[in-house]
Amino acid sequence: MLPWSAELAGRLDHHVVDSALLRGNPLGDPHERPLLVYTPPGYDDEPDRRYPALYVLLGYTGHVAMWLNRAPFRQPFPELADAVFTRADVPPAIVVYVDAWTSLGGSQYLDSPGTGPYHSYLRDEIVPWVDEHYRTIPDRDHRAITGKSSGGYGAMVSAMLAPDVFGALATHAGDALFDVGVRRSFPELARRLRNMYDGSYDKFLADFRGRPAGTKEGDLELLEIYAYAAAYSADEDGTVRLPFDDTGAVVPEVWRRWQALDPVVMAGEPRNAEALRSMRAIWVDAGDRDEYFLDFGAVAFHRAVRAAGVPDERVHFELFDAGHGAIEYRYPLALAWLAHRLS
Amino acid sequence: MLPWSAELAGRLDHHVVDSALLRGNPLGDPHERPLLVYTPPGYDDEPDRRYPALYVLLGYTGHVAMWLNRAPFRQPFPELADAVFTRADVPPAIVVYVDAWTSLGGSQYLDSPGTGPYHSYLRDEIVPWVDEHYRTIPDRDHRAITGKSSGGYGAMVSAMLAPDVFGALATHAGDALFDVGVRRSFPELARRLRNMYDGSYDKFLADFRGRPAGTKEGDLELLEIYAYAAAYSADEDGTVRLPFDDTGAVVPEVWRRWQALDPVVMAGEPRNAEALRSMRAIWVDAGDRDEYFLDFGAVAFHRAVRAAGVPDERVHFELFDAGHGAIEYRYPLALAWLAHRLS
Amino acid sequence: MLPWSAELAGRLDHHVVDSALLRGNPLGDPHERPLLVYTPPGYDDEPDRRYPALYVLLGYTGHVAMWLNRAPFRQPFPELADAVFTRADVPPAIVVYVDAWTSLGGSQYLDSPGTGPYHSYLRDEIVPWVDEHYRTIPDRDHRAITGKSSGGYGAMVSAMLAPDVFGALATHAGDALFDVGVRRSFPELARRLRNMYDGSYDKFLADFRGRPAGTKEGDLELLEIYAYAAAYSADEDGTVRLPFDDTGAVVPEVWRRWQALDPVVMAGEPRNAEALRSMRAIWVDAGDRDEYFLDFGAVAFHRAVRAAGVPDERVHFELFDAGHGAIEYRYPLALAWLAHRLS
Amino acid sequence: MLPWSAELAGRLDHHVVDSALLRGNPLGDPHERPLLVYTPPGYDDEPDRRYPALYVLLGYTGHVAMWLNRAPFRQPFPELADAVFTRADVPPAIVVYVDAWTSLGGSQYLDSPGTGPYHSYLRDEIVPWVDEHYRTIPDRDHRAITGKSSGGYGAMVSAMLAPDVFGALATHAGDALFDVGVRRSFPELARRLRNMYDGSYDKFLADFRGRPAGTKEGDLELLEIYAYAAAYSADEDGTVRLPFDDTGAVVPEVWRRWQALDPVVMAGEPRNAEALRSMRAIWVDAGDRDEYFLDFGAVAFHRAVRAAGVPDERVHFELFDAGHGAIEYRYPLALAWLAHRLS
C-alpha cells in the first residue's frame, strides 16, 4: 500500500546474472550482478506474444537496487513505468533495469581498463540473457535504451557504439558537451584538493575510504570526477589519468580522451553519425536550470543529431522548467513515446 | 551482496499491524501500518532469553519502508544496527522500526485532531504488539526510544509523555527550541506564500497536490510547517492553525500551542521533569553546523535535562562536526550505548 | 564630468558642526561633525524665499562623506536629488545630509548611554543650526525626515519622538518588525561566536579591531548587532546588553528593550500614534525580496500607521521588485513626493 | 578627520589630462581624463630630488574618482599608500592613479577598436605628462605598474607590452589563465541571455541602459564579459565578437583572440618573456578562495614568469587567505616592496 509499496499491474522480476566479462575487473567489483526485468500487464496471458524491450540505465552513484528507493510524496520509477503500461494507449513493452555500478560510483557504461568492460557486458551478456529468458522481439529495431544524467550518457553512447543492438534512445539531462559542463567543475576540485588534501587524489581517496562517506565537503564531487576519469582516461594498466592539473586547467592529452567520448563529439564521427541515422527514435530533454548545464549538452546533442541527418520526425527535443534533480516524472513520457515508436 | 543488499547477522521481520486507533483518522491515512522488528543474532538459539527493546523513529517525510533505501557509499541504518549487535561488547537487543507517517509527511508522534492519535498508537498498540510477539523484557526499564530530527523530537516527547512505557531515549538533532530553530523559517515561508500563492496555504496545497512534488521551490518547506501545525496546533475539528501571519510574525495564541510542545519547554513542566529524572539513559547530540540550528535545540534540551535533576552519569551530550544531513553513522553509537544502559 | 563627477544645478555646502551634546560621548567619537546642506537651483536668486527642509539619514555603517561615493553605472544620491529639483513640477526644497555615525557603525539616531545622544543632537543642534544658517521655513510642517535601512528607522523614530520638529517622513526598507527581521539573525551570530570566538563578543571585538575589517566571515554581521545593542539596550553606565544568549535565543529582558524601540511597536503607543496622525505625509516602501525581510517591516509599519488613524491620502505604501541593495533610485521618488506635500 | 576624511602626510593632486589619442574613441567616452598624482612627504622640501613613480590601475568598473570612496571601517587606498610613505624604512615615491574607464566599465588597459587606445594613452600620454609635471626619475628602471583584478591584468600586460616604459609590476588577483577563470562564467551567461533576453546581447544592453543599473540579476556579469570582449575581440570596425555561443561553449576563433591576450599565454611569447626578464621586480599574489579563481591565474603567471627566466630573487609570490573582495590591505605591501626595489 502507498506510500510504503505499490502493487504493480505488471511484474518485476529480480535476477542475478553472472557476468564472465566482469570477472577479474580492475576494481574488484562483483561479477554477479542484479538485474530487474519488468513484464507488462498481460504478458503471462499471451504466451506467444513478443514485446519490444526498453533498457533503463542509472545515473552516477546509482545501482539497480536504488530503483526501489522510496522518496517523499513521489513513487519510484518502476511504479511510474508500470502505470504507463496500464494505459490503453501505450503498447506493452518489457523494461530492463541494468546495473553497471562500480565501487567508484559508476562505469559510464563504457569498456575501460580503469573499471571494466561494462559496455560489452551490457551488449554481449545482458541483452542476450534477456532475449533468452523473456519473450522479446530480439532485434535492434525493437530495443531502446534510456537513462538520466550518466544514464542518459550511457544511452547516447551505447546507441552509437552498438547500433546493431539498440535502435532507439532517450536521454534525460545526459552528460554531454563536456567543454561546457563537467570542465567547469575542475577549478573547484583543484582548489579542494589543494586546500584539503595537499593536491593529491590519493590522499583524498585514502581519507574518503577511511570514514563515513559524505562527511566532508566535496566528497562526492571529487569522487565523481575520479570515476569519470577511470571510465574515460585510464591507461591500459588501469592507471587513472586526471583531466585537470593543479591550477584547474585541463591536461590537453587527457582532455582529448575525454572529448573523444563526449556524445556531442562522437556524433560528429561518420560511423556514429550513421548509427544515429539508423535510430528509429531519439528523445533528448533536460531541465533549463540544470546545475551541471546539461541543458546545453541536450541542445548540442540535438544539433549533432540533426547534423548527422536524423529526420526531425524521429526526434523529440525539449527543455523544461527544472534543475537536475527530481525529474523522474519525465522518464515515463519518454517510455510511452518509445513504446509507440518501437511497436 | 553489497552495495545492493546485505546479509544480516540478525533477522528483520516485516509485519503489518492493524491499528484500531488510526481507523478513521482525519487525513484518511491507512490504519494498517507496516512495522519492522529486528531480532539480534542468537535470538532463535536461546528461546527463553528476553531482550531489551529499542524503538526507532523516522524524521519528517519518512515512512518505515524508507529505512531500506540504499544510499551511495553508505549502508542503510538497519544494516548498521545489525553490525552493532555482531560486536561481542554490545548486549543484544530487539530493534523496532515504527511507522507514523501521514500524508502530510509526518505526525510528530503526537495525538492531534489534525492528523490522528499517533502517540497513543505507538504507546497502546505498537508496544503491546511487540511485547506480545517478541521476547522482550516487557517493562519501561528495558525500553528505549530514539530518532533523528522529527524522530528525535518523537523520542523526547514520547519519553516525557509516557515514562511508564519508555525508560531511556536518544535524540539526534531532534526538533527543539522552537523559538530559535523553526521560527526562523516563517518569514521565508510567508514570503513564498505571498509571492507564489497569493498568501494562501490552500492555494499552495491545491497546487502541490496537482503536480509532481518538489517541482517548485519551497514545496517541502511549506508542506513541512503545515504538517507541524497539523500536529501542534490543530483545533478539535481538525482545522489547522498556522503559527505565522502574512508578515512572517508568530501568531501568539498559536505559537503558545507550539511552544507547549517544544521539548525544551515541556522539560520545565514538573510532570515531565519527573519523567526525565526517571530515565535510565538520555543521549543528546547534533551537528554543530545543523542547518535548522538544532545544535542549539540539543544544547537547550541538555540544559533542561540537567535542570530537571537528571544525574550527569545518565546523560551523553555531544556536538559533532556536521550539518543536518548524512549523520546516520551517529545512530549506532547511541544504539550501542543504550543497549548497555538497558542491560 | 560623469562618471567622475557631476555639476549640480543647485549647491551642496560642506560644513562642520561642533556638537556640545556629543562632547564626551561614551565611544569617544568626534563631536565635530560634518554636515552637507543642499540648496536647490534658484536659492541664491531669490534671497527672501524660504524653503521646506528634507533631512536625509544614512543606513548602518554609513557616514555623511559616503554620500559622495561613486558607484559603477549609477550616480550618488545627492546628484539624483539635485536632478529632482531641476524638474519644473517639483517644488524646491533644502536637503540636509545628517551624520550620526559612530565607531560601531551607527547610532540608530537614538539617545543611548551606549553611543551618545544622537537623537538630541539631531533635534536640538542640527535642525536649529540649519534653520539659523539657511532660509528654511522653520517649522515642523515644513520639515521631513527620510532614510533607508537604519536611516529609514531613524526617520520613523525621529518623527515619532519629535513630532514638534518633523511633520513628514519617508522610510525605504527601514528597520522594523524586529521579531521577524533582525531576530532571525541571532542563531547565526551565536553560532559564529561559539565556533570562532569562544562565544565571547569581547574576543570578537578585540580580534576585529586588531586586523583589517571584513577579513573574517561574519565581521559586519557581528558588529552590526553589537551596534544595535549599544543603541537599544545599553545600561546607564554604558554596558551593552546583548539581545541573544549562547543558544541564539532572545534574552527576554533585553529583547523587551529592543521591542520598545521597534517602530511597529512604538506606533502602538498613544503618544506615538498621535505623532503619526500629525504627520502631513508618510512614505513607506521596501523591496519584496529584501534579505533582511524589511518588506514585512514596511507592511507592518504601514498597518500600524493606519491603525494609528492616519488618513490613507497622506500615505504612500509600495513594495517593489528588489532586494535590500541598489535601491537608491527609490529615494528621489519619495523626495519629489515629500517636496509636494510640504509645499 | 576619520572616518570622513584624512589628512595626508604627502599631497594628492587632481588633474585633468586632455588625451589626443582618446579623441573620437569608438564608445564616445570623454577624452579629458582625471588623473591623481601623489607626492610623498618631503617632496616640496627637496626641490632637486627626483623619485621613482608607481602607476596604479583600477579593476573593472573602476574609475579614478572611486579611489576616494570611503568604506566602513577601512580607509581608501590613497590614504593607506600615504601611510606607507610616512614610514622611515620606505623610500619615497610618486604614486600615479590612472583612469582608463569606459562606458562599458573598463578598457583592460589595451588598445582596441572596440573601446579605444587605452594602452597607448597610458604609455604615450600619461607617463610623459607625469614626467613633465613631476620630478620623476624618468626612465623605465624607476617606473612600476600595479593593480588589482583587471588592474592587475593591466599591470601584467602593460609591463610586457611596454618594457621600455615600465621596469617593475605588481598584480593582486589579476585576470589570468582565462581558460580556468573567466571561461567558467560563460555557461551561466549564455543561460541568462537565453532565459531573460532571447539569447541576445543587444536586447540585454538595450534593457540595461533603459533602467537603473543592477536592478536585474546578472547585470554586471553580463556587462563585464561584453566589456572584455570589446577589449579583447573587437573587429577593426568596432564590432564586438563574443567568446561564447548559445550553449556557453567558446567560439574557437574568438577564444584564440582572448587567449592571445591572457597574461599566462603572453608570457610564453619570446618577446614578452624577454620583457619579463628585464623587470627589476615582480609581485604576484591572490586570495586562495578567489571567487574568480584568480589564485590559479596567479600560480600560472608566476610559473610563466619563472619559465621566462626571471630570477627568483626578483619575484614575490604569495597566496593568502581571502576571496576576491576586501583585499586592498594587500596593495600597500606591494607598494613598499616596489619602492625598495626601484630605489
Side-chain angles (χ1 to χ4, degrees), chain A residues 1-4 30 32-34 60-61 63-66 68-74 99 101-105 208 212-215 220 223 289 321 326 329, chain B residues 1-4 30 32-34 60-61 63-66 68-74 99 101-105 208 212-215 220 223 289 321 326 329:
Chain A
M1 192 187 304
L2 287 176
W4 305 281
E32 297 190 329
R33 289 296 173 129
Y60 176 68
T61 75
H63 57 67
V64 86
M66 289 167 65
L68 307 177
N69 281 357
R70 307 199 72 81
F73 309 109
R74 296 202 307 266
D99 189 281
W101 174 89
T102 73
S103 49
L104 292 174
F208 176 79
T215 48
L220 284 196
L223 193 68
R289 295 176 274 117
D321 172 26
Y329 71 94
Chain B
M1 191 186 304
L2 286 176
W4 305 282
E32 297 191 329
R33 289 297 174 129
Y60 176 68
T61 75
H63 58 67
V64 85
M66 289 168 65
L68 307 177
N69 281 356
R70 307 199 73 81
F73 310 109
R74 297 201 306 266
D99 189 282
W101 174 88
T102 73
S103 49
L104 292 174
F208 176 80
T215 48
L220 283 196
L223 193 68
R289 296 176 274 116
D321 172 26
Y329 71 94

Side-chain angles (χ1 to χ4, degrees), chain A residues 52-56 85 93-97 142 144-146 335 338-339 342:
Chain A
L54 308 169
Y55 286 74
V56 183
F85 294 110
I94 288 167
V95 184
V96 182
Y97 297 92
H142 296 87
I145 186 159
T146 82
L335 218 60
L338 288 170
L342 297 198

Side-chain angles (χ1 to χ4, degrees), chain A residues 17-34:
Chain A
V17 175
D18 189 337
S19 162
L21 287 166
L22 295 184
R23 266 173 210 271
N25 66 71
L27 295 170
D29 291 322
H31 56 88
E32 297 190 329
R33 289 296 173 129

Side-chain angles (χ1 to χ4, degrees), chain B residues 65-138:
Chain B
M66 289 168 65
W67 281 123
L68 307 177
N69 281 356
R70 307 199 73 81
F73 310 109
R74 297 201 306 266
Q75 284 187 261
F77 172 56
E79 297 172 13
L80 302 179
D82 178 66
V84 166
F85 294 109
T86 61
R87 287 163 43 191
D89 66 320
V90 177
I94 287 167
V95 184
V96 182
Y97 296 92
V98 179
D99 189 282
W101 174 88
T102 73
S103 49
L104 292 174
S107 65
Q108 299 298 91
Y109 306 93
L110 294 173
D111 290 345
S112 165
T115 53
Y118 284 90
H119 172 67
S120 300
Y121 144 83
L122 166 58
R123 188 191 58 208
D124 299 334
E125 294 185 329
I126 296 299
V127 170
W129 191 97
V130 169
D131 285 340
E132 185 181 338
H133 292 79
Y134 287 87
R135 295 195 314 276
T136 57
I137 307 174

